[in-house]
């Protein structure tokens, strides 16, 4: 098959959806399929990475962030003409896989409608929560977003008026899809409950087989002596709840070491909290993905702190695949992972959540010191390998392409 993927951002830029899409392409090609990825042309420092890759169809774009890392391609007739002209030089497409939530989604649905192709849509984004976390007037933004959707997809299934909130937005997009997939069971259930699509296929985002095997082989068989070692990683923004984690760490008052991996707008505030409470926290900054996995494998436990935001939450899956248990704040993610977790109670108020996380950190530290930490599911590495995830996605493709 020739699968044409549409993305909001070029897959050689930073981001979980980009990493997932890039990995899916690699394993689809290993399985003998052809993949074209349509995305905005890059402008920043990463623009030279694989600039001549024939699998990329780059669209005219404008940068939308100060570092020029991310860009926007306007979903109109000019972009349509570029897509059609470039695709005319490539093998006949069999289906469209929308790996986008905004302009990339509009472009993908427009292309599919013009050429009579079925659409599989992987939904990566809790649009309602994401907009609320990043926009000053989320209600107005969501109304505008639904208006943009209706205008961009006018005359097509996705242009129907379906409401004005985040679920209405996804519901409208999905009207043009033959299948919708979600990267977790809990997100799939939410999509179905809000009448976005039903049934939603659950296909986890996976991890590269070779990298997983290599990091697991390098991991020590015996725990190094010392105090319990925790690792936190992610974007340093409010929805990830790094600052509440550091407050909970101070309240827990346990002997431990913590490594924080990543960067973002809250780094300065995080450093200030660490200094104020004299916490044994080391900021590692942004690291290459393979090194991140090595740090997870070497830790006694991963700490996951966001609540209700993640559509999958990759880090606990990565930790479980590497044999590292996790302190998990989001009950949906804890349910999805199953074993090898310390669950954090989730009161409605933030002070209560901080106290609950502190209590769980104390419990986890005691279990680690006693050698009684819960073990992750030994089947997780096989379930999380990208080869198995790609095989599951191909079954979806075959179903809609008939």
């Amino acid at each position: 098959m020739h699968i044409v993927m549409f993305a909001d951002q070029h897959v050689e830029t930073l981001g979980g959806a980009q990493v997932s899409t890039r990995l899916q392409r690699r394993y689809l090609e290993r399985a003998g399929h052809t993949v074209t990825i349509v995305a905005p042309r890059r402008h920043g420092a990463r623009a030279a990475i694989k600039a001549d890759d024939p699998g990329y169809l780059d669209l005219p774009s404008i940068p939308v962030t100060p570092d020029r890392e991310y860009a926007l391609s306007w979903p109109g007739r000019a972009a349509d003409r570029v897509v059609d002209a470039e695709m005319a030089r490539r093998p006949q497409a069999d289906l469209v896989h929308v790996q986008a939530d905004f302009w990339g989604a509009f472009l993908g649905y427009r292309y599919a409608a013009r050429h009579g192709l079925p659409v599989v849509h992987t939904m990566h984004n809790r649009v309602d929560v994401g907009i609320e976390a990043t926009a000053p007037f989320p209600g107005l933004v969501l109304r505008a977003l639904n208006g943009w959707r209706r205008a961009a997809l006018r005359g097509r299934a996705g242009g129907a008026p379906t409401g004005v909130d985040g679920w209405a937005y996804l519901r409208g997009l999905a009207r043009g899809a033959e299948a919708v997939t979600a990267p977790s069971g809990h997100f799939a259930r939410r999509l179905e409950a809000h009448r976005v699509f039903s049934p939603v296929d659950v296909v986890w985002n996976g991890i590269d087989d070779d990298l997983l095997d290599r990091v697991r082989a390098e991991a020590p068989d015996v725990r190094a002596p010392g105090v319990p070692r925790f690792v936190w990683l992610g974007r340093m923004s409010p929805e990830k709840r790094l600052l509440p984690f550091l407050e909970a760490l101070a309240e827990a008052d346990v002997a431990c070491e913590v490594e924080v991996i990543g960067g973002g707008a809250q780094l300065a505030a995080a450093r200030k909290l660490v200094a104020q409470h004299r916490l044994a926290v080391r900021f590692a900054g942004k690291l290459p993905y393979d090194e991140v996995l090595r740090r997870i494998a070497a830790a006694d436990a991963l700490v996951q702190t966001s609540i209700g935001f993640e559509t999958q939450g990759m880090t606990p899956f990565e930790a479980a695949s590497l044999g590292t248990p996790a302190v998990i704040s989001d009950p949906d993610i804890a349910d999805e992972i199953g074993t090898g977790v310390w669950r954090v109670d989730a009161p409605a108020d933030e002070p209560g959540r901080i106290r609950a996380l502190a209590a769980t950190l104390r419990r986890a530290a005691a279990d680690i010191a006693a050698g009684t930490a819960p073990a992750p599911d030994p089947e997780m590495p096989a379930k999380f390998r990208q080869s198995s995830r790609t095989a599951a996605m191909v079954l979806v493709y075959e179903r809609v392409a008939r």
Side-chain angles (χ1 to χ4, degrees):
M1 283 187 286
H2 180 188
I3 300 102
V4 186
M5 295 184 177
F6 283 79
D8 286 323
Q9 296 301 330
H10 199 287
V11 298
E12 295 294 347
T13 58
L14 299 174
Q18 294 93 301
V19 171
S20 171
T21 304
R22 195 165 68 232
L23 193 58
Q24 289 175 44
R25 175 206 172 185
R26 187 191 313 164
Y27 276 78
L28 283 166
E29 290 178 341
R30 283 189 184 184
H33 302 286
T34 300
V35 179
T36 297
I37 301 178
V38 183
R41 180 177 295 121
R42 294 162 289 168
H43 298 267
R46 300 174 68 85
I49 299 174
K50 298 186 178 179
D52 57 351
D53 189 318
Y56 294 152
L57 196 169
D58 295 353
L59 298 178
S61 67
I62 56 173
V64 292
T65 54
D67 61 1
R68 300 168 68 84
E69 175 82 14
Y70 304 114
L72 177 151
S73 291
W74 186 258
R77 292 178 182 174
D80 291 343
R81 287 193 292 269
V82 173
V83 174
D84 286 347
E86 290 294 326
M87 288 302 300
R89 303 186 181 100
R90 299 171 187 240
Q92 174 65 42
D94 293 292
L95 62 88
V96 167
H97 188 165
V98 172
Q99 298 259 25
D101 300 290
F102 304 107
W103 47 89
F106 302 158
L107 286 163
Y109 279 108
R110 288 166 69 101
Y111 176 76
R114 289 195 306 277
H115 297 277
L117 296 171
V119 176
V120 175
H121 191 158
T122 294
M123 293 192 168
H124 293 278
N125 198 330
R126 276 285 306 266
V127 172
D128 57 336
V129 177
I131 295 294
E132 186 174 355
T134 57
F137 301 102
L140 290 176
V141 172
L142 287 169
R143 283 179 176 272
L145 195 57
N146 274 288
W148 189 18
R149 170 185 58 79
R150 292 194 300 272
L153 298 177
R154 184 178 291 116
R156 304 166 182 86
T162 53
V164 296
D165 64 8
W167 297 111
Y169 176 77
L170 295 178
R171 193 181 306 128
L173 289 177
R175 286 197 170 191
E178 276 68 38
V180 169
T181 77
S184 67
H186 62 84
F187 189 41
R189 291 191 299 271
R190 283 198 173 95
L191 291 169
E192 291 168 349
H194 287 87
R195 298 178 291 106
V196 172
F197 196 90
S198 186
V200 175
D201 290 281
V202 178
V203 183
W204 291 350
N205 295 325
I207 186 171
D208 180 77
D209 297 30
D210 300 334
L211 179 57
L212 177 60
D213 290 341
R214 186 164 64 250
V215 174
R216 283 174 59 86
E218 293 171 356
D221 294 327
V222 179
R223 179 186 180 272
V227 297
R229 293 176 288 273
F230 296 101
V231 61
W232 185 100
L233 62 143
R235 184 175 60 253
M236 296 180 184
S237 52
E239 71 277 5
K240 297 293 187 177
R241 299 183 67 246
L242 170 61
L243 301 186
F245 165 55
L246 296 174
E247 293 280 8
L249 188 65
E251 184 169 326
D253 191 26
V254 294
C256 66
E257 295 175 356
V258 176
E259 183 171 51
V260 173
I261 301 172
Q266 292 190 322
L267 176 59
R271 289 187 182 278
K272 183 177 179 181
L273 269 176
V274 167
Q276 176 185 337
H277 294 292
R278 298 181 181 179
L279 302 175
V281 174
R282 185 172 76 87
F283 292 93
K286 297 178 181 179
L287 299 173
Y289 184 55
D290 56 347
E291 182 59 26
V292 169
L293 294 181
R294 291 188 185 94
R295 302 291 177 96
I296 295 174
D300 293 311
L302 172 92
V303 181
Q304 181 275 329
T305 47
S306 63
I307 301 173
F309 177 78
E310 312 293 345
T311 56
Q312 179 179 11
M314 281 287 284
T315 55
F317 287 82
E318 290 162 340
S321 298
L322 295 166
T324 301
V327 173
I328 298 184
S329 299
D330 190 314
D332 287 332
I333 296 176
D335 288 343
E336 192 106 2
I337 296 295
T339 61
V341 303
W342 292 276
R343 294 169 180 260
V344 181
D345 292 333
D349 64 301
E350 188 66 346
R353 288 175 170 176
I354 290 173
R355 288 192 297 272
L357 178 55
T360 308
L361 289 170
R362 284 193 292 269
R363 188 167 75 250
D367 288 346
I368 292 165
T372 58
D377 180 359
E379 297 299 315
M380 184 60 78
K383 294 177 180 178
F384 200 54
R385 298 169 80 86
Q386 185 58 45
S387 56
S388 73
R389 304 300 82 225
T390 296
M393 187 64 77
V394 168
L395 292 177
V396 178
Y397 291 163
E398 290 175 345
R399 189 178 75 229
V400 306
R402 289 173 181 168

